[in-house]
Amino acid sequence: MCIRDSLSFAFLMRNLRISILMEERKEFKVIMQMIMKMTSPLLYQFACLYIVFYVFAMIGIYGLGGEIKEPRFHSEDGIPNNMYYLVNFNDLGSSIVTLYAFMIINNWPAITDTMVGVSGSIWPRIYFMVFYVFVQWILLNIVIAMMLEIFTNVSTE
């Protein structure tokens, strides 16, 4: 185990050394400066995104928690045979995974239809629409704008 750790440390040091040598290239220097200047603002953006996810997850747990249960077989309760019963708001972890799947627009009609089907109301559609507008149109565009601003500042220096 000690030899493997020593080799891993040597490999890390070699990669750090090559990054210092690559600093002489203008293109690589721009990339490294961009990464260094982007670290702190990006952590703030991720913190804001986590707070938004947490708030929406709590709202989802309050409104839709416990509605979706594991069926005895996959066609019970109108849930299709693709295991979408695992996408639920039963606990915080499942809620955040559900919101992340919705954020990356991964089969969002199936997620929304499942939630509307189990709740029997239109409120899950409104909930997901507000989440989509808030996260996709506002927060992720701010992250992209921040990255472009840092890149233009670094490339002009």
Side-chain angles (χ1 to χ4, degrees):
M1 193 59 115
C2 185
I3 294 173
R4 193 174 96 189
D5 291 340
S6 300
L7 289 175
S8 296
F9 182 72
F11 184 71
L12 175 70
M13 294 307 292
R14 183 179 175 142
N15 284 337
L16 288 175
R17 175 74 179 143
I18 199 162
S19 67
I20 291 169
L21 290 174
M22 289 294 290
E23 191 83 22
E24 299 298 322
R25 300 280 306 164
K26 181 184 176 200
E27 296 85 7
F28 191 77
K29 190 173 186 176
V30 167
I31 291 170
M32 289 302 291
Q33 286 179 350
M34 183 177 159
I35 289 171
M36 296 308 265
K37 287 187 178 183
M38 202 170 59
T39 304
S40 177
L42 199 58
L43 289 176
Y44 286 124
Q45 293 293 328
F46 283 148
C48 290
L49 192 61
Y50 179 75
I51 290 169
V52 168
F53 267 67
Y54 183 79
V55 168
F56 273 92
M58 286 295 123
I59 294 169
I61 289 171
Y62 178 73
L64 297 167
E67 295 287 333
I68 298 177
K69 299 171 190 69
E70 184 176 348
R72 286 187 294 272
F73 58 94
H74 294 297
S75 62
E76 184 181 303
D77 295 331
I79 297 173
N81 190 12
N82 52 14
M83 299 174 70
Y84 271 99
Y85 63 87
L86 297 173
V87 179
N88 57 48
F89 286 94
N90 294 344
D91 58 356
L92 182 62
S94 297
S95 301
I96 289 179
V97 168
T98 300
L99 292 173
Y100 181 76
F102 196 84
M103 180 190 76
I104 61 171
I105 312 172
N106 182 19
N107 294 335
W108 63 270
I111 296 170
T112 307
D113 290 341
T114 302
M115 296 299 168
V116 167
V118 298
S119 72
S121 68
I122 195 75
W123 289 110
R125 290 193 194 277
I126 296 169
Y127 168 78
F128 282 123
M129 182 181 69
V130 170
F131 176 77
Y132 180 80
V133 167
F134 199 77
V135 170
Q136 291 287 335
W137 291 1
I138 298 172
L139 285 177
L140 292 181
N141 279 330
I142 291 172
V143 170
I144 292 170
M146 179 203 59
M147 289 177 160
L148 290 174
E149 178 70 25
I150 290 172
F151 179 75
T152 56
N153 288 339
V154 167
S155 63
T156 57
E157 287 178 359

